[in-house]
Each structure stands twice: as C-alpha cells, then as structure tokens.
C-alpha cells in the first residue's frame, strides 16, 4: 500500500483528468440554468486506466459520463435494448469502458495487429486480455446512490421530494417494491436501514423504477467483474476495478463505503477496491438545496484508435438527445446511444458471427453459465428474499 500522500495525489490526478475531459464536452452535456433561474447539478464519473509499472503516474482515460436519472420500468416495454434504463454517471461510464473494449477487440481482429494501448490479442487461445500494466480506476463525483450514501441522508433528511428520505414504520409496506420481499427497499425509503438492496432513488410521486442502486450494482461487479456478458466472452481473466475515487468529506463516509461495498459482501468471493479520497469537489455537484438535478446525461468514449479517436453523446430519457418520443409511440430509428445494449449487441454480432449466430442477446447472456452463477449467487446473498427483476429488454 502506498503512503497517503501518494495515493492522495493519484486520486487527485484521476479526478483532474476526468474533470478536464468533462470541461471539453459540448455545453448541452453539462447542467445549465433553467428559465426560472434555478441552476442544475449532476454527477460526473469516469473510468481511467492507471499504469501499475510507472509509479502510477501514467493515466489513460477510457470513458466519462454524467447523469442522475433512471427511467420507470414501464419504459422498457418498447425498448428492445435501445433505452438506457439507468443513466447514473458511474453506470454509464462502466458501459463506456465495455464499449471501448469491444472496439479495441474489433480493431485487433480486423487489422491482424497484436496489441492496442489497452488490449493484447493471444492468437493461441484466440482471446484478448487487458494489458497487465493497467489497473482500472472508477472516479465518481458523489457517493454511489443506495446503501453507501444512506448515512449522509441523516443530515439532509427533509421534506424535499427528490431525496425521498423518510423514516417509516417497519410494518409499513410502502417502503417495499413488493410486500412479500423485505430485502429490497424502494429508493431512500426507511433510510436508516443499512446493508440492504434499494431501487434507484426518485421522486415519491414518479413511476416506479426497478433499476437497483449504484451501491448494489458496484457490489455485484466486485464479484462478477466489470465486464459485460460480451466482453466477458472475449477477454481472458476477469477484469475488476482496482480503485474507487470519491471526494469523501469525512472518515464516516469512508467507513460507510467500506461497510456497504466490502463488508456487505465479504462472504462472497469478491475483489475489494482501494477506496481513495480526492480533494476537489466536482464543479457541478449539488451545493445548494434549491438546485435541481439535470435531466440530461452524457457519455464520451476515448478509443484512441486510428480513425476512431473519441465519441460523445448527450442522452435524454435514456436515448440520444433529440430522439425521445412519447410513451405510446414506437422509438425512432437511430435513437439508441453508442453504449446501449442494442448498439453493443449489434456490434458484437458483427465481431463474432460464429458465437452469436441465431441467438438473441438474452439467450447469449444466459449461455454464459459461470458468469450467470456468480451473478445469481451474489444477488441471493444481497437479497435473501429474492430478486425483483426489471422488465425483459432483449435484442434479436
Ligand atoms: Zn446511482
């Protein structure tokens, strides 16, 4: 383990790298000021590769994302993989990493080259691996929603609808998504209850989302790796996050992160992250109660490949900005984002016609037995009463 000043400076360097890239996004991707003069806030996240061989001072930015919204479960009925159900920044940034890895695998396969700056191709096993020099870091400008951030709500508990931080009686069924499942709570309901799976927070009067909190999703990724089912099948050896960088405000926040992301799953085979504190607060984080969350999300991917440098998209309601149609209408052509399930699966099908022939996305995902078992085992551990799944969102 490095001394505090070294890990501290690494955390600050990563934060600066992500925020510098954020400042270069097109203005539509950043929070604005509404016509009633209310300023907006958002969360920023990024995945950065850290060179483990050079005193950790060489960084390679892979993806950045902003966003704080998730969609109601009912929206998924017309999705066919095109709608991003969960637009929280850290989840989008991880999707971005997977998309970058797919592009790198495609580049190596089509050019016959042996390596990119991220991946190496092993012709003997016909698989790829992440270059050994890299350790992956996830920066988030705020505590992940759900269990890891529940204790900070004690100081914020208010009548603010958006926080939905209310204490309810243990017998009150309003706190549950499904009254027969007592191990999954709705958003910030009964926020004093710790170590429990929660759905994404939202206004109490909004339609229910079944997307799970970022705390719960990060827990699962520490067991199953940060790879999705497609990159999992291409890349040898699971790839885990090595560092989590957050502008922690006090020791209590760090202890709760440890409790929520590590102790909660210590009896499952998981790979812990190094939780490092960065010192600068993100420019557009929430600083006043009167501020409103930005509806816009965004993602920018840093491919660094010949002829494919970067790709940047503003995202509204889970689709490319400008492409949203009212609920009763079908989705417009090309409305999906570059990190959507649809876009990634179509790309993966072209890359691997022999593996994907005749299979839908979900059939392929279910065929990965080891990965599926790991996910199911972790979900059972996190929520002994069972898992409440989101609406089926398949791509043919
Ligand atoms: Zn979240």
């Amino acid at each position: 383990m490095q001394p505090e000043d070294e890990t501290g400076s690494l955390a600050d360097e990563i934060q600066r790298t992500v925020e510098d890239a954020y400042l270069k996004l097109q203005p539509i991707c950043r929070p604005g000021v509404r016509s009633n003069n209310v300023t907006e806030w958002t969360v920023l996240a990024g995945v950065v590769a850290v060179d483990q061989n050079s005193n950790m001072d060489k960084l390679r930015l892979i993806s950045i994302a902003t966003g704080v919204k998730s969609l109601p479960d009912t929206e998924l009925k017309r999705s066919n993989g095109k709608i991003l159900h969960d637009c929280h920044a850290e989840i989008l940034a991880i999707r971005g990493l997977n998309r970058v890895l797919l592009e790198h695998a495609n580049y190596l396969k089509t050019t016959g080259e042996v390596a990119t700056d991220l991946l190496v191709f092993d012709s003997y096993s016909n698989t790829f691996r992440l270059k050994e020099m890299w350790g992956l870091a996830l920066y988030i400008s705020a505590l992940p929603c759900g269990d890891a951030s529940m204790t900070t709500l004690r100081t914020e508990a208010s009548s603010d609808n958006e926080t939905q931080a209310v204490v309810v009686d243990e017998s009150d069924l309003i706190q549950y998504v499904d009254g027969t499942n007592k191990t999954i709570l709705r958003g910030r309901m009964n926020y004093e209850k710790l170590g429990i799976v929660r759905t994404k927070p939202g206004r109490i009067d909004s339609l229910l989302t079944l997307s799970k909190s970022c705390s719960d999703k990060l827990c699962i990724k520490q067991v199953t790796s940060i790879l999705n089912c497609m990159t999992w099948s291409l890349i040898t050896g699971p790839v885990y996050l090595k560092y989590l960088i957050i502008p922690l405000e006090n020791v209590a926040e760090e202890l709760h992160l440890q409790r929520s992301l590590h102790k909660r799953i210590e009896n499952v085979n998981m790979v812990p992250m190094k939780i490092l504190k960065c010192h600068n607060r993100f420019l557009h984080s929430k600083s006043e109660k009167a501020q409103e969350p930005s509806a816009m999300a965004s993602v920018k991917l840093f491919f660094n490949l010949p002829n494919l440098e970067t790709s940047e998209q503003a995202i509204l309601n889970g689709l490319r900005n400008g492409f949203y149609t009212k609920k009763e209408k079908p989705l417009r052509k090309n409305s999906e984002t570059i990190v959507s399930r649809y876009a990634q699966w179509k790309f993966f099908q072209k890359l691997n016609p022999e593996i994907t022939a005749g299979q839908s996305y979900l059939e392929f995902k279910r065929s990965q037995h080891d990965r599926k078992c790991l996910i199911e085992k972790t979900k059972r551990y996190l929520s002994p009463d069972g898992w409440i799944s989101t609406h089926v969102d398949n791509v043919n």
Side-chain angles (χ1 to χ4, degrees):
M1 191 163 164
Q2 296 74 35
E4 161 64 24
D5 58 341
E6 278 183 34
T7 54
S9 65
L10 173 67
D12 289 335
E13 195 61 37
I14 289 171
Q15 187 270 341
R16 260 195 302 277
T17 300
V18 176
E19 194 163 318
D20 284 351
Y22 166 81
L23 292 172
K24 292 180 187 144
L25 290 176
Q26 47 185 323
I28 189 74
C29 296
R30 300 199 294 262
V33 180
R34 296 186 185 176
S35 52
N36 58 0
N37 273 335
V38 170
T39 55
E40 296 179 334
W41 61 275
T42 193
V43 171
L44 171 66
V47 176
V48 176
V50 182
D51 185 349
Q52 306 293 292
N53 302 326
S54 65
N55 289 328
M56 301 196 291
D57 56 359
K58 186 178 161 196
L59 304 179
R60 197 299 199 186
L61 181 61
I62 299 176
S63 63
I64 65 166
T66 61
V68 288
K69 297 283 184 182
S70 58
L71 288 179
D73 198 59
T74 52
E75 275 280 15
L76 291 182
K77 287 178 189 161
R78 61 170 178 163
S79 168
N80 298 314
K82 292 190 173 183
I83 298 180
L84 296 165
H85 189 200
D86 181 346
C87 286
H88 282 215
E90 54 270 60
I91 304 304
L92 292 178
I94 292 171
R95 279 179 172 273
L97 161 74
N98 277 284
R99 180 63 203 239
V100 169
L101 293 176
L102 278 181
E103 293 278 357
H104 277 240
N106 181 57
Y107 175 80
L108 292 178
K109 194 164 174 184
T110 51
T111 61
E113 289 186 29
V114 180
T116 64
D117 65 343
L118 292 174
L119 287 187
V120 177
F121 179 62
D122 177 358
S123 57
Y124 182 72
S125 62
N126 201 28
T127 56
F128 304 87
R129 65 178 161 77
L130 186 70
K131 278 189 171 171
E132 274 164 25
M133 63 190 276
W134 297 126
L136 294 179
L138 172 66
Y139 159 79
I140 322 173
S141 67
L143 289 169
C145 64
D147 189 54
S149 58
M150 281 303 109
T151 48
T152 59
L153 290 177
R154 279 168 208 247
T155 50
E156 285 178 18
S158 65
S159 56
D160 180 357
N161 269 348
E162 189 70 37
T163 65
Q164 201 186 312
V166 285
V167 181
V168 296
D169 190 82
E170 195 54 40
S171 62
D172 194 337
L173 292 182
I174 194 173
Q175 65 190 303
Y176 304 112
V177 176
D178 169 352
T180 63
N181 184 323
K182 302 276 172 26
T183 50
I184 298 184
L185 291 189
R186 275 189 72 172
R188 288 160 174 164
M189 282 280 179
N190 213 353
Y191 69 95
E192 293 195 311
K193 215 165 175 176
L194 299 180
I196 200 150
V197 173
R198 293 174 177 275
T199 57
K200 285 271 193 288
R203 290 177 67 98
I204 197 152
D205 52 357
S206 61
L207 284 168
L208 186 65
T209 179
L210 294 180
S211 180
K212 306 305 175 296
S213 75
C214 294
S215 299
D216 302 318
K217 289 186 176 179
L218 288 174
C219 271
I220 295 173
K221 290 189 191 306
Q222 286 183 90
V223 181
T224 63
S225 93
I226 202 166
L227 301 177
N228 65 23
C229 68
M230 296 166 269
T231 48
W232 170 284
S233 76
L234 295 172
I235 295 173
T236 314
V239 178
Y240 292 94
L241 282 176
K242 185 154 188 186
Y243 311 95
L244 179 65
I245 317 295
I246 298 192
L248 297 165
E249 302 216 334
N250 50 51
V251 178
E253 285 190 351
E254 183 175 351
L255 290 174
H256 280 294
L257 263 181
Q258 296 281 7
R259 173 194 60 74
S260 179
L261 300 183
H262 292 156
K263 290 209 173 66
R264 193 151 67 111
I265 50 166
E266 66 187 357
N267 292 330
V268 187
N269 251 345
M270 64 96 172
V271 178
M273 300 175 279
K274 279 185 190 171
I275 297 173
L276 303 181
K277 171 186 169 170
C278 60
H279 294 84
N280 288 336
R281 263 176 73 86
F282 168 49
L283 176 73
H284 290 140
S285 54
K286 187 179 182 183
S287 56
E288 291 169 33
K289 202 172 165 189
Q291 286 180 298
E292 292 282 344
S294 172
M296 194 68 76
S298 66
V299 67
K300 184 166 184 178
L301 312 184
F302 298 82
F303 297 108
N304 291 2
L305 291 170
N307 305 323
L308 186 58
E309 205 39 46
T310 59
S311 179
E312 175 181 335
Q313 287 178 336
I315 304 167
L316 191 62
N317 295 318
L319 295 165
R320 285 172 62 199
N321 182 37
F323 281 78
Y324 185 74
T325 50
K326 292 232 158 63
K327 288 181 183 62
E328 55 281 3
K329 294 189 174 164
L331 296 180
R332 284 167 58 190
K333 198 169 172 6
N334 299 327
S335 56
E336 72 278 2
T337 62
I338 191 170
V339 294
S340 67
R341 181 173 288 182
Y342 180 91
Q344 293 201 58
W345 176 245
K346 291 295 167 190
F347 188 82
F348 182 71
Q349 278 181 318
K350 268 196 224 151
L351 173 61
N352 269 303
E354 64 286 355
I355 302 178
T356 56
Q359 288 194 87
S360 70
Y361 168 82
L362 287 179
E363 283 164 347
F364 174 76
K365 188 176 173 184
R366 285 189 204 113
S367 73
Q368 289 186 304
H369 186 72
D370 292 351
R371 184 173 181 273
K372 186 167 156 261
C373 287
L374 279 178
I375 294 173
E376 284 172 359
K377 184 175 133 192
T378 317
K379 285 179 173 176
R380 267 200 306 278
Y381 188 80
L382 286 171
S383 173
D385 283 359
W387 202 254
I388 299 171
S389 296
T390 52
H391 194 277
V392 173
D393 188 17
N394 200 6
V395 191
N396 287 312

